[in-house]
C-alpha cells in the first residue's frame, strides 16, 4: 500500500514539473485546454484583444463569455481551436469604452442651416452618458418631413461608435414685426417686416369692424417681396376698427385704427377775401362747389348772397376748398365771421359729411402786403403782391412818377404804365408809397395815412425791342390750326398750300391777348382740303406781316407746316356738369341730369336714353335737349324726367338721395362732324339734403323686433353687424329684412337664443342711416325691447331610481304644472336592460319646479334603466310653453 501512495505523489510531482516546462497547456482525460496570455480590452474592441489562431489554426471564441459592461476585473474568454480538439481560454480586463450615441429628439427648421448637432450624449460601458464631440452626415433642411442621418464618435482610447438616427424638419414659424398702418381715403394700408415665410404660405390682413372680434371682414392676402409686406383693405365704413396680420397659426397683436367719417377739419381766413375750408378727405367737386352747401355771415348779419363769393376745389389738393369773397364783401380788420359748411357735401366716394360744421372767428390781419415780384408786361410793368391791395399812393420807376392801375378795387396785381413809348432797355427799381391791404394794414402794421414805401429789387428790361417770332403751330380740329407767338402781335398774313396749291384761308382770329391766332382753311375751287378717301393732310404755311403790339417791331416771315386730320371719333362724356337738379316747384317736378361732352354736339335722340333710379327701377325720360355751357358752346345734353318723385305732391328738393344711371345708346348725340356717340353709361349721385336726425321706437312680439323708421333707409338698416342685443352681437341665425317698404325693418331672432323672458336693450350703430343721410338721434341709439320670450327648449338632464317602481327625472329648467295623463305618460320612454317599461303615472310633486316622478312596472334596481323623451309630440313644457327637447336620453342612477 505504501508503495502505491508513493507512486501517485510522484506522478503529481511529475505533472507539476511538466507544467513548469509548458505553462500554457493543461491536460485531462477529455480534452486539452490552452490558457493564453492575459490582456486588456481597449476601446470596446473585443476582437482586437483575442488571439486569431493557435499554432497556425484558427480560434473560434465564444463572445458571450465576456461581459463588455463588466469593468475593472479579469474575465475568462473561452473558445476552441477549430479541428484540433483543443480548448482555449484567456484572461481579459475590459476597459471603459463608448457603446452608443443617444441624442434627444432632433427637430430642425426648414430652410435654416442645421446647428447644435456636434455635441451629443454618448453612453459608455460604465453606464454614464458623456457629452462628446461627434461628426454627422445626412442632415438637410431643404424641405420639411422625417429623415435619417448618422452620428459618429471616434476616440483612440474609447473606440468608435456610429449611430443612425431619425430627425424632423419642420416649417419655421413666420415672424411679423414692425407693423405699421395708415388710413387714406377710407382704406387701411398695412406694412410689416416678414421672416421665415415659405413657398405656399401667405399672410393675410383681417379687419374687425367696430372692433368686434366676432365680426371679421373677409381676409385680404398681402403682397410680400424681399421680406417686406404690404396690403390694403377695401373701403371701410367710418368708425373704430381693429386688425391683425396672420399666417397660419401666427398672429400679430390686435391693433386699433379709426376710419374718420368725412368731416371739416377747419376753416381759415387767409386774408380779407380768401378763405380755405380744410376737409379730412378729398371732396366731390360738384357738391363741394355748390354754394347752397355754405352759409357765410359777417358781423351777425344775414347770410351772404351766392353772388357775394365764389367756391372752388383746389385742383392740386382736393381736400381743400377755396372761398373767395367778392370785393364788396371783403372783410375789414376786426370783422366777426361765421362760416357754416353743410353735411350735404360729399367726399370723393360720395359719402356725406358726418355733420354740419360751423366756425366763428374774428378776422385779424396785422401783416402788411409785400411785393412778391415785378415783371415786364408788354410795354408796362406788373407788380404782384402777396395780398389783395386796397389803396396805392405814389408810384415811381427809377424815381419818375408813373401811372398805376389795379385789375379791380381789391387786386394782387398792379400794372405800372410804361408811357406812350413803353419802357426802354435798362435797369429799373420800383417805389410804391402808402400801399394798404384789404384790412387797411400798411407796412407798419396799422391803418395810417403816413406814406409807406416798398422798394423792389433792381431788375433789367432786355426784351422790349426783340422781334416777335412764331413759337409753335398746332392743330385745333380738322380744318383749323392755331399759331402761337412769343409776344402779342398784330394780325398776321397766312398762306396755306396743299401740294403747292393755295387753299382758302379765313381771316385769323386773335386770342390770349394777341399771342395766339386761330386760322381756318377750306377748299379753294378745285383744290380740296380733303380729297375723297383722305383722312389727313399736311399743309405748308407762310406766316408774315406781323409786328409786336408793344413797340411795332416787325417779325420776320416764317415757313411752317401743320398736319390736319379728319375727326372720326364720336363725342365723349367729359364729366358730370352738375348734380341732379329740381327744375321747378310745380305739381310735376322735372329732375334734370346735365351731361357734358368734350365737344359741341347735335341731334339728340331721347328714345335712346334709359334712366334707372336708385332702386334699379326704370323711369321715363321726359326730354333730352342740348344746351350751352358756361362758354356758350353747345356741349351739354340735358335729360329730364318727371317720374322721379318722393311724394305725390313733389316740391323742389323732393328727389330721394341715391345713385341714378343714364344709359346712352349709340347715336344718342353726334358731334358737328356727324360722328355718333358710342354706347355709354353715366351715373349721377343725388347728394343728401339738409335732413335732420330722427327718432324710432322699437317693439317686439314673438321674438321679432320691429323698427318703424318712418323714412326710407339704406341697406345699413338690415346689416346685422349694426345691431347688438344686451351689448352682444345678434345670435347666429338672426335675419333682418325690410317689411313692406324701406321705411320699416324687422329682426327675427332664431329659436333657442332667448334663455328667459325679459326686457333687453337693442343698440343701433351710428352706421345706420336713411337714404337722405340722416341718422338716429342719440335717444334712439339704445332701445329697450319688451316682450322677448324664452324660446329655449328644456332638456332632460338626469334620472334617479327611487324605488323598484318609481324614477325621478330632472330637467334643465322649471316646468309648467305637469298633469298625470296618457299624453304626458307617453312623453317618456323608459327601458330596463333595453326592454320598454310603460309609464303608468307622472307625479308632479312640487309644481313649477324642474322634477317629476315616473311610475313604472316593478323592476330590479340593479338593472340598467334609461329614460328618454319620445320622438312624437311632447306635451311637457317650461314656464314659457317651450316643449321639452325630443330624443334626449339619460341613464338613471341609484
Amino acid at each position: 500500500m505504501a508503495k502505491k501512495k508513493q507512486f501517485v505523489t510522484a506522478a503529481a510531482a511529475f505533472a507539476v514539473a511538466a507544467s513548469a516546462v509548458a505553462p500554457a497547456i493543461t491536460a485531462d482525460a477529455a480534452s486539452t485546454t490552452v490558457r493564453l496570455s492575459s490582456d486588456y480590452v481597449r476601446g470596446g474592441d473585443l476582437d482586437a484583444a483575442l488571439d486569431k489562431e493557435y499554432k497556425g489554426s484558427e480560434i473560434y471564441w465564444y463572445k458571450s463569455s465576456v461581459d463588455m459592461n463588466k469593468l475593472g476585473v479579469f474575465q475568462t474568454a473561452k473558445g476552441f481551436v477549430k479541428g484540433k480538439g483543443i480548448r482555449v481560454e484567456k484572461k481579459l480586463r475590459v476597459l471603459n469604452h463608448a457603446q452608443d450615441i443617444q441624442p434627444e429628439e432632433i427637430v430642425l427648421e426648414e430652410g435654416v442651416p442645421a446647428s447644435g448637432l456636434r455635441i451629443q450624449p454618448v453612453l459608455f460601458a460604465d453606464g454614464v452618458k458623456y457629452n462628446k464631440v461627434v461628426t454627422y452626415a445626412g442632415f438637410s433642411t431643404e424641405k420639411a418631413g422625417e429623415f435619417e442621418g448618422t452620428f459618429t464618435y471616434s476616440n483612440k482610447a474609447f473606440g468608435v461608435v456610429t449611430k443612425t438616427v431619425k430627425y424632423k424638419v419642420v416649417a419655421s414659424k413666420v415672424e411679423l414685426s414692425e407693423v405699421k398702418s395708415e388710413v387714406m381715403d377710407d382704406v387701411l394700408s398695412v406694412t410689416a417686416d416678414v421672416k421665415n415665410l415659405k413657398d405656399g404660405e401667405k399672410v393675410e390682413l383681417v379687419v374687425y369692424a367696430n372692433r368686434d372680434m366676432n365680426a371679421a371682414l373677409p381676409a385680404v392676402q398681402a403682397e410680400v417681396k424681399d421680406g417686406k409686406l404690404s396690403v390694403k383693405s377695401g373701403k371701410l365704413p367710418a368708425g373704430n376698427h381693429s386688425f391683425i396680420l396672420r399666417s397660419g397659426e401666427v398672429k400679430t397683436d390686435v391693433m386699433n385704427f379709426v376710419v374718420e367719417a368725412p368731416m371739416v377739419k377747419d376753416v381759415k381766413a387767409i386774408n380779407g377775401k380768401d378763405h380755405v375750408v380744410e376737409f379730412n378727405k378729398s371732396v366731390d367737386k360738384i357738391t363741394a362747389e355748390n354754394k347752397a352747401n355754405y352759409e357765410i355771415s359777417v358781423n351777425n348779419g344775414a347770410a351772404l348772397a351766392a353772388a357775394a363769393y365764389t367756391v372752388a376745389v383746389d385742383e392740386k389738393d382736393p381736400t381743400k376748398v377755396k372761398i373767395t369773397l367778392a370785393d364788396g364783401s371783403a372783410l375789414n380788420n376786426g370783422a366777426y365771421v361765421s362760416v357754416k359748411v353743410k353735411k350735404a357735401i360729399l367726399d370723393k366716394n360720395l359719402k356725406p359729411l358726418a355733420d354740419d360744421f360751423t366756425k366763428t372767428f374774428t378776422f385779424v390781419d396785422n401783416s402788411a402786403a409785400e411785393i412778391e415780384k415785378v415783371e415786364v408786361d408788354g410795354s408796362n410793368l406788373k407788380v404782384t403782391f402777396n395780398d389783395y391791395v386796397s389803396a396805392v399812393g405814389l408810384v415811381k420807376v427809377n424815381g419818375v412818377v408813373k401811372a398805376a392801375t389795379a385789375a379791380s378795387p381789391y387786386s394782387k396785381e398792379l400794372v405800372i404804365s410804361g408811357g406812350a413809348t413803353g419802357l426802354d432797355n435798362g435797369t429799373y427799381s420800383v417805389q410804391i408809397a402808402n400801399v394798404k391791404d384789404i384790412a387797411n394794414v400798411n407796412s407798419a402794421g396799422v391803418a395810417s395815412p403816413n406814406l409807406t414805401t416798398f422798394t423792389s429789387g433792381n431788375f433789367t428790361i432786355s426784351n422790349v425791342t426783340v422781334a416777335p417770332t412764331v413759337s409753335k403751330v398746332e392743330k385745333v380740329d380738322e380744318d383749323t390750326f392755331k399759331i402761337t407767338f412769343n409776344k402779342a402781335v398784330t394780325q398776321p398774313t397766312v398762306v396755306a398750300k396743299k401740294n403747292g396749291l393755295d387753299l382758302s384761308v379765313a381771316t385769323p382770329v386773335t386770342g390770349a391777348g394777341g399771342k395766339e391766332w386761330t386760322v381756318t382753311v377750306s377748299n379753294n375751287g378745285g383744290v380740296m382740303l380733303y380729297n375723297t378717301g383722305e383722312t389727313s393732310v399736311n399743309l405748308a404755311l407762310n406766316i408774315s406781316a406781323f409786328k409786336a403790339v408793344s413797340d411795332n417791331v416787325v417779325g420776320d416771315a416764317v415757313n411752317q407746316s401743320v398736319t390736319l386730320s379728319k375727326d372720326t371719333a364720336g363725342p365723349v362724356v367729359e364729366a358730370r356738369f352738375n348734380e341732379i337738379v329740381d327744375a321747378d316747384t310745380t305739381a310735376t317736378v322735372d329732375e334734370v341730369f346735365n351731361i357734358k361732352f368734350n365737344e359741341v354736339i347735335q341731334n339728340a335722340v331721347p328714345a335712346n336714353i334709359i334712366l334707372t333710379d336708385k332702386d334699379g327701377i326704370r323711369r321715363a325720360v321726359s326730354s333730352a335737349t342740348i344746351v350751352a355751357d358756361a362758354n356758350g358752346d353747345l356741349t351739354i345734353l340735358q335729360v329730364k324726367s318727371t317720374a322721379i318723385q318722393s311724394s305725390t305732391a313733389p316740391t323742389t328738393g323732393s328727389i330721394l338721395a341715391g345713385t341714378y344711371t343714364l344709359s346712352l345708346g349709340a347715336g344718342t348725340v353726334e358731334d358737328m362732324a356727324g360722328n355718333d356717340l358710342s354706347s355709354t353709361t353715366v351715373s349721377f349721385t343725388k347728394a343728401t339734403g339738409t335732413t335732420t336726425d330722427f327718432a324710432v321706437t322699437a317693439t317686439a312680439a314673438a321674438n321679432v323686433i320691429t323698427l318703424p323708421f318712418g323714412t326710407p333707409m339704406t341697406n345699413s338698416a338690415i346689416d346685422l353687424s349694426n345691431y347688438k342685443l344686451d351689448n352682444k352681437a345678434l345670435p347666429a341665425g338672426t335675419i333682418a329684412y325690410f317689411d313692406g317698404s324701406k321705411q320699416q325693418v324687422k329682426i327675427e331672432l332664431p329659436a333657442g337664443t332667448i334663455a328667459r323672458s325679459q326686457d333687453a336693450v337693442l343698440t343701433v350703430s351710428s352706421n345706420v342711416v336713411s337714404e337722405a343721410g340722416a341718422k338716429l338721434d342719440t335717444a334712439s341709439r339704445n332701445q329697450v325691447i319688451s316682450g322677448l320670450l324664452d324660446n329655449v327648449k328644456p332638456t332632460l338632464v338626469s334620472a334617479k331610481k327611487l324605488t323598484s317602481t318609481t324614477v325621478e327625472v330632472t330637467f334643465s329648467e322649471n316646468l309648467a304644472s305637469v298633469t298625470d295623463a296618457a299624453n304626458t305618460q307617453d312623453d317618456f320612454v323608459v327601458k330596463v336592460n333595453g326592454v320598454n317599461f310603460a309609464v303608468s303615472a307622472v307625479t308632479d310633486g312640487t309644481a313649477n319646479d324642474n322634477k317629476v316622478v315616473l311610475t313604472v312596472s316593478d323592476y330590479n334596481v340593479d338593472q340598467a334603466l334609461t329614460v328618454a323623451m319620445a320622438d312624437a309630440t311632447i306635451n311637457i313644457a317650461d314656464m314659457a310653453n317651450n316643449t321639452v327637447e325630443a330624443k334626449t336620453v339619460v341613464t338613471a342612477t341609484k
Side-chain angles (χ1 to χ4, degrees):
M1 293 293 293
K3 288 181 179 180
K4 184 177 181 180
K5 181 178 179 180
Q6 185 179 10
F7 174 80
V8 174
T9 302
F14 176 79
V16 172
S19 175
V21 175
I25 301 175
T26 299
D28 56 41
S31 64
T32 301
T33 298
V34 177
R35 293 182 177 86
L36 303 177
S37 299
S38 61
D39 202 352
Y40 292 92
V41 179
R42 297 174 177 83
D45 191 350
L46 180 59
D47 288 338
L50 295 172
D51 299 72
K52 302 298 182 294
E53 58 184 28
Y54 176 71
K55 293 185 178 181
S57 298
E58 183 181 358
I59 301 174
Y60 177 86
W61 293 97
Y62 301 104
K63 299 291 184 67
S64 60
S65 61
V66 178
D67 185 353
M68 294 297 291
N69 292 319
K70 190 174 181 180
L71 308 177
V73 296
F74 279 100
Q75 303 178 59
T76 301
K78 296 182 179 182
F80 64 91
V81 180
K82 291 183 177 180
K84 300 299 183 180
I86 300 173
R87 297 180 182 274
V88 293
E89 292 181 353
K90 184 167 186 173
K91 296 289 186 180
L92 296 175
R93 187 175 181 179
V94 179
L95 301 180
N96 198 15
H97 58 278
Q99 291 185 321
D100 192 20
I101 302 174
Q102 297 183 346
E104 297 178 355
E105 182 182 18
I106 300 171
V107 180
L108 304 175
E109 290 186 353
E110 184 181 7
V112 178
S115 61
L117 301 178
R118 287 194 60 79
I119 304 297
Q120 296 295 335
V122 178
L123 178 65
F124 277 68
D126 61 2
V128 178
K129 292 181 183 179
Y130 299 90
N131 288 329
K132 296 292 184 179
V133 176
V134 300
T135 59
Y136 58 92
F139 289 89
S140 172
T141 59
E142 289 184 356
K143 60 182 180 180
E146 289 194 4
F147 309 94
E148 288 186 346
T150 59
F151 288 117
T152 299
Y153 169 71
S154 179
N155 184 279
K156 290 182 179 180
F158 300 110
V160 177
V161 178
T162 297
K163 180 71 171 289
T164 298
V165 297
K166 291 184 177 181
Y167 68 95
K168 294 180 181 179
V169 178
V170 296
S172 303
K173 287 187 177 179
V174 176
E175 294 183 17
L176 301 170
S177 61
E178 298 298 321
V179 181
K180 298 177 182 178
S181 65
E182 67 173 349
V183 178
M184 291 288 290
D185 295 329
D186 300 342
V187 174
L188 171 68
S189 297
V190 180
T191 60
D193 291 343
V194 184
K195 292 182 180 179
N196 301 333
L197 191 67
K198 308 299 186 304
D199 290 342
E201 290 183 334
K202 62 183 178 180
V203 182
E204 295 177 316
L205 169 67
V206 181
V207 174
Y208 299 99
N210 301 314
R211 298 184 182 170
D212 184 347
M213 303 306 287
N214 295 315
L217 300 180
V220 181
Q221 185 169 341
E223 178 180 339
V224 180
K225 185 176 181 180
D226 298 330
K228 300 292 183 181
L229 169 152
S230 61
V231 61
K232 291 184 178 182
S233 71
K235 289 191 180 296
L236 297 169
N240 298 322
H241 310 304
S242 303
F243 77 88
I244 63 168
L245 294 173
R246 72 183 181 196
S247 179
E249 298 300 318
V250 176
K251 299 178 182 178
T252 61
D253 292 336
V254 176
M255 299 182 70
N256 296 331
F257 67 98
V258 177
V259 175
E260 293 181 333
M263 67 180 69
V264 178
K265 294 168 61 179
D266 200 5
V267 176
K268 297 178 180 178
I270 307 303
N271 49 56
K273 283 173 63 73
D274 296 329
H275 293 67
V276 174
V277 182
E278 296 180 350
F279 297 83
N280 67 334
K281 300 176 184 291
S282 297
V283 292
D284 169 59
K285 183 176 176 66
I286 291 174
T287 55
E289 293 185 349
N290 184 349
K291 293 184 183 180
N293 291 330
Y294 302 87
E295 289 181 8
I296 305 170
S297 62
V298 181
N299 295 328
N300 294 318
L304 296 181
Y309 59 93
T310 60
V311 180
V313 175
D314 189 326
E315 293 184 359
K316 294 182 178 179
D317 183 0
T319 65
K320 294 179 180 178
V321 173
K322 182 180 180 181
I323 299 176
T324 302
L325 302 180
D327 289 345
S329 300
L331 302 178
N332 291 321
N333 229 354
Y336 182 74
V337 185
S338 175
V339 179
K340 180 179 181 180
V341 185
K342 298 180 181 179
K343 65 182 180 182
I345 293 176
L346 307 177
D347 70 2
K348 75 172 188 178
N349 297 316
L350 304 183
K351 295 180 180 179
L353 301 184
D355 211 339
D356 293 346
F357 178 90
T358 301
K359 181 174 181 179
T360 57
F361 57 92
T362 300
F363 173 65
V364 177
D365 182 3
N366 291 324
S367 299
E370 296 179 357
I371 293 176
E372 285 190 339
K373 62 181 178 179
V374 179
E375 56 191 330
V376 176
D377 183 22
S379 60
N380 304 315
L381 296 178
K382 183 169 67 176
V383 181
T384 303
F385 296 90
N386 67 341
D387 198 353
Y388 295 95
V389 172
S390 62
V392 175
L394 189 66
V395 176
K396 293 182 179 181
V397 177
N398 281 2
V400 178
V401 175
K402 292 287 186 180
T405 56
S408 63
Y410 296 122
S411 176
K412 290 185 177 183
E413 294 180 353
L414 185 69
V415 177
I416 302 173
S417 172
T421 59
L423 295 172
D424 295 328
N425 290 343
T427 300
Y428 293 82
S429 65
V430 176
Q431 293 177 305
I432 307 172
N434 201 21
V435 177
K436 295 180 181 179
D437 65 12
I438 296 174
N440 285 324
V441 176
N442 57 29
S443 63
V446 295
S448 170
N450 297 327
L451 293 181
T452 300
T453 301
F454 293 94
T455 302
S456 77
N458 292 335
F459 60 96
T460 300
I461 297 177
S462 59
N463 68 335
V464 174
T465 59
V466 174
T469 59
V470 174
S471 299
K472 62 180 177 180
V473 179
E474 57 190 325
K475 171 192 169 184
V476 175
D477 56 36
E478 62 184 23
D479 61 0
T480 306
F481 55 89
K482 181 173 66 178
I483 306 171
T484 302
F485 296 85
N486 67 329
K487 59 171 61 178
V489 298
T490 59
Q491 185 184 91
T493 297
V494 180
V495 176
K497 294 179 180 288
K498 175 186 176 182
N499 297 330
L501 302 175
D502 288 344
L503 291 168
S504 179
V505 179
T507 301
V509 178
T510 188
K515 292 181 69 174
E516 293 180 353
W517 293 82
T518 301
V519 181
T520 300
V521 293
S522 58
N523 301 332
N524 184 12
V527 181
M528 307 298 292
L529 177 59
Y530 292 99
N531 294 322
T532 302
E534 283 184 328
T535 58
S536 66
V537 61
N538 184 265
L539 304 182
L541 308 176
N542 180 267
I543 305 165
S544 63
F546 56 89
K547 58 184 178 180
V549 173
S550 61
D551 52 17
N552 291 325
V553 176
V554 178
D556 294 332
V558 63
N559 293 318
Q560 293 278 353
S561 65
V562 66
T563 299
L564 303 181
S565 57
K566 278 189 173 182
D567 180 8
T568 59
V572 175
V573 174
E574 186 174 82
R576 288 181 298 157
F577 181 69
N578 206 339
E579 65 176 335
I580 304 170
V581 179
D582 294 325
D584 57 57
T585 58
T586 59
T588 301
V589 178
D590 286 333
E591 309 301 347
V592 180
F593 303 85
N594 292 312
I595 305 171
K596 192 174 189 307
F597 289 86
N598 64 333
E599 59 182 317
V600 174
I601 54 174
Q602 61 182 348
N603 300 333
V605 182
N608 281 3
I609 302 172
I610 297 174
L611 169 61
T612 306
D613 72 7
K614 64 184 185 59
D615 295 318
I617 300 172
R618 186 173 294 187
R619 301 290 189 175
V621 172
S622 307
S623 64
T625 56
I626 297 171
V627 298
D629 59 21
N631 297 320
D633 297 325
L634 296 173
T635 60
I636 298 174
L637 176 65
Q638 190 173 83
V639 181
K640 293 184 180 181
S641 173
T642 59
I644 304 176
Q645 304 166 12
S646 60
S647 63
T648 56
T651 59
T652 298
S654 64
I655 185 171
L656 293 176
T659 299
Y660 297 76
T661 301
L662 285 167
S663 296
L664 309 180
T668 298
V669 294
E670 62 182 19
D671 63 15
M672 301 309 291
N675 299 306
D676 284 342
L677 169 74
S678 298
S679 298
T680 189
T681 299
V682 185
S683 293
F684 288 77
T685 297
K686 175 65 173 71
T688 56
T690 55
T691 53
T692 56
D693 294 345
F694 59 97
V696 67
T697 301
T699 59
N703 294 338
V704 177
I705 301 172
T706 301
L707 290 151
F709 289 103
T711 184
M713 301 296 292
T714 64
N715 286 345
S716 62
I718 56 172
D719 184 343
L720 295 177
S721 68
N722 285 332
Y723 299 94
K724 289 188 176 181
L725 194 63
D726 281 346
N727 207 32
K728 296 179 181 178
L730 295 179
T734 301
I735 60 172
Y737 55 90
F738 289 116
D739 183 30
S741 73
K742 298 192 78 173
Q743 298 190 21
Q744 180 165 286
V745 169
K746 285 192 174 181
I747 300 173
E748 293 187 3
L749 303 173
T753 59
I754 306 300
R756 62 183 185 278
S757 300
Q758 60 179 345
D759 290 348
V761 176
L762 179 72
T763 301
V764 185
S765 166
S766 60
N767 292 330
V768 174
V769 296
S770 72
E771 288 186 340
K775 299 180 180 180
L776 293 183
D777 58 22
T778 303
S780 297
R781 289 285 170 221
N782 294 299
Q783 298 276 319
V784 178
I785 307 298
S786 301
L788 293 183
L789 302 176
D790 175 2
N791 65 2
V792 177
K793 290 179 175 290
T795 57
L796 185 62
V797 295
S798 65
K800 183 179 180 181
K801 302 171 184 176
L802 299 181
T803 69
S804 62
T805 58
T806 57
V807 180
E808 180 185 72
V809 292
T810 302
F811 294 88
S812 59
E813 56 181 297
N814 292 341
L815 306 176
S817 296
V818 180
T819 303
D820 181 32
N823 60 356
T824 57
Q825 295 169 11
D826 290 344
D827 286 347
F828 298 93
V829 176
V830 177
K831 292 185 178 182
V832 179
N833 280 357
V835 177
N836 286 347
F837 272 52
V839 176
S840 58
V842 179
T843 305
D844 191 3
T846 302
N848 304 133
D849 70 353
N850 63 339
K851 292 180 172 58
V852 295
V853 175
L854 310 180
T855 300
V856 296
S857 302
D858 190 33
Y859 68 96
N860 185 342
V861 294
D862 292 326
Q863 294 178 313
L865 183 146
T866 61
V867 181
M869 302 307 298
D871 293 347
T873 301
I874 296 176
N875 299 284
I876 296 177
D878 64 12
M879 304 297 290
N881 203 33
N882 297 299
T883 57
V884 177
E885 186 76 37
K887 299 183 180 179
T888 309
V889 180
V890 296
T891 299
T893 61
K894 286 187 179 181

